[in-house]
Amino acid sequence: MTGNIVQIQRFSTQDGPGIRTTIFFKGCNLRCAWCHNPETIDPKPSLGFFPDRCVGCGLCSQACPENAIGPHRQSFSPEKCRCCGICVQTCPENALSLFGEKKTVGELMALLLRDRRYFDNSGGGVTASGGEPMLQWEFIRELFAACRQNGISTALDTAGNVPFAHYEALLPLTDLFLFDMKIYDDAKHREYTGVGNARIQQNLKQLLDRGAAVEIRIPVLAGVNDSPEDMKKTAVLLGNAPKKVKLLPYHTLGLEKHLIVGQNNTRKFQTPEKEHLQELAKLFACPVEI
Ligand code: SF4
Ligand code: SF4
């Protein structure tokens, strides 16, 4: 079995406690309007292009066996590209990148074990993120079982939209669930993410009822999900069961990634004021980090 991976980020400090290696899995079943990782959405491999690095030398066009790239890279035909990676190797400016690589558990463990002492010294470990890593839950079960055998702590960053049985399979192997709660209101959730939130809320409740360690992550977008009324409803739903709630104010970092993967999505939202976030934090019964 192999995992479909976009990126592996070592020495991460944002994806759970301590120093971590975060593995970004490819494929997602939500379509959040503010997505910061668009390269992870499509489960298929894809070619990324960094226009600001390109000097228009045309070497990629000459090298492509499928004629998918026009001279000097002024055009690209994704339907012709079979993601062979030849142009990526050819480009002298690192202006091209392949998103999506198959990795075995053995290959990932070799990488993780190199950082074992950083994990041990900092209370860190590995985090499976994405995309939606739970779309590859069977592979993650194998990976986390290997981590258990090697004493590496595990965290799973999920948006919650898969059958609960899949979480159940991972419960004994997961030290911390980083669970996204995007919008309390179901209709609004559907409008901004493409799916309703009934299953997500049900999964969260079941994880909490089963005593799993859960950190809730709420992206906060001004005018979308930052009303005290909506946040209060989320706070009531959670009670004091989660380990921690993290409010993540919207930011525009990463918006240019949409251009890198060939999407013209430049939709922007507003970042809520810090004082407003501090007021929202007071609504929760459990510890809140902003
Ligand atoms: S990845 Fe291969 S097929 Fe796709 S554009 Fe590059 S060289 Fe052509
Ligand atoms: S090889 Fe790289 S720098 Fe040259 S045209 Fe292609 S993408 Fe641009």
Side-chain angles (χ1 to χ4, degrees):
M1 191 183 288
T2 53
N4 187 6
I5 312 288
V6 181
Q7 193 197 347
I8 298 168
Q9 189 176 327
R10 296 170 69 202
F11 305 112
S12 162
T13 54
Q14 301 297 316
D15 302 307
I19 294 172
R20 312 194 71 83
T21 294
T22 304
I23 302 172
F24 292 88
F25 285 81
K26 197 154 164 58
C28 188
N29 58 1
L30 267 64
R31 294 292 179 271
C32 300
W34 56 86
C35 180
H36 285 96
N37 294 321
E39 74 280 17
T40 66
I41 293 176
D42 187 347
K44 297 193 298 298
S46 52
L47 183 68
F49 173 54
F50 298 79
D52 53 332
R53 298 182 195 165
C54 175
V55 295
C57 66
L59 291 174
C60 56
S61 169
Q62 291 163 27
C64 175
E66 308 297 324
N67 290 322
I69 307 177
H72 313 296
R73 225 291 177 188
Q74 73 274 57
S75 63
F76 173 57
S77 308
E79 69 286 354
K80 290 185 184 169
C81 174
R82 55 180 177 86
C83 290
C84 66
I86 291 173
C87 59
V88 177
Q89 306 294 333
T90 306
C91 176
E93 306 295 329
N94 285 326
L96 296 162
S97 176
L98 266 189
F99 296 123
E101 225 185 325
K102 303 282 183 198
K103 295 269 185 206
T104 64
V105 167
E107 286 168 327
L108 291 176
M109 286 308 296
L111 282 173
L112 294 174
L113 287 168
R114 279 196 311 183
D115 292 335
R116 172 80 194 273
R117 71 192 161 98
Y118 298 108
F119 302 154
D120 291 348
N121 292 339
S122 67
V126 64
T127 299
S129 184
E132 174 51 76
M134 286 302 286
L135 297 178
Q136 299 182 56
W137 67 276
E138 287 158 299
F139 178 80
I140 291 173
R141 183 174 56 182
E142 258 187 41
L143 176 67
F144 279 12
C147 287
R148 269 279 189 278
Q149 278 168 12
N150 287 279
I152 295 176
S153 179
T154 57
L156 180 69
D157 182 5
T158 177
N161 189 33
V162 298
F164 185 74
H166 299 176
Y167 289 108
E168 200 155 37
L170 283 167
L171 263 172
L173 300 168
T174 307
D175 296 313
L176 178 65
F177 290 88
L178 306 170
F179 199 104
D180 295 354
M181 277 278 288
K182 296 176 192 288
I183 300 175
Y184 181 84
D185 179 76
D186 183 64
K188 226 188 235 187
H189 196 282
R190 200 175 290 277
E191 178 188 343
Y192 285 98
T193 72
V195 301
N197 62 12
R199 174 158 76 168
I200 295 169
Q201 291 189 4
Q202 186 64 26
N203 280 339
L204 174 59
K205 200 172 162 334
Q206 288 195 76
L207 279 177
L208 293 172
D209 287 349
R210 297 285 291 270
V214 182
E215 177 180 310
I216 310 291
R217 302 185 147 207
I218 306 176
V220 189
L221 297 88
V224 176
N225 66 345
D226 70 333
S227 76
E229 296 73 32
D230 276 5
M231 206 57 84
K232 177 82 190 158
K233 287 177 191 163
T234 302
V236 169
L237 178 83
L238 300 178
N240 57 6
K243 199 176 160 58
K244 183 162 76 180
V245 167
K246 219 169 177 179
L247 299 180
L248 305 167
Y250 171 76
H251 62 79
T252 54
L253 285 178
L255 266 192
E256 71 286 350
K257 280 200 209 164
H258 287 273
L259 296 176
I260 291 166
V261 296
Q263 298 171 359
N264 208 3
N265 181 349
T266 49
R267 188 167 179 186
K268 280 194 182 152
F269 294 88
Q270 296 298 314
T271 304
E273 299 291 337
K274 194 171 176 202
E275 294 72 27
H276 183 53
L277 289 166
Q278 285 164 344
E279 288 304 311
L280 295 177
K282 290 178 190 164
L283 299 171
F284 291 87
C286 56
V288 178
E289 187 182 315
I290 299 173

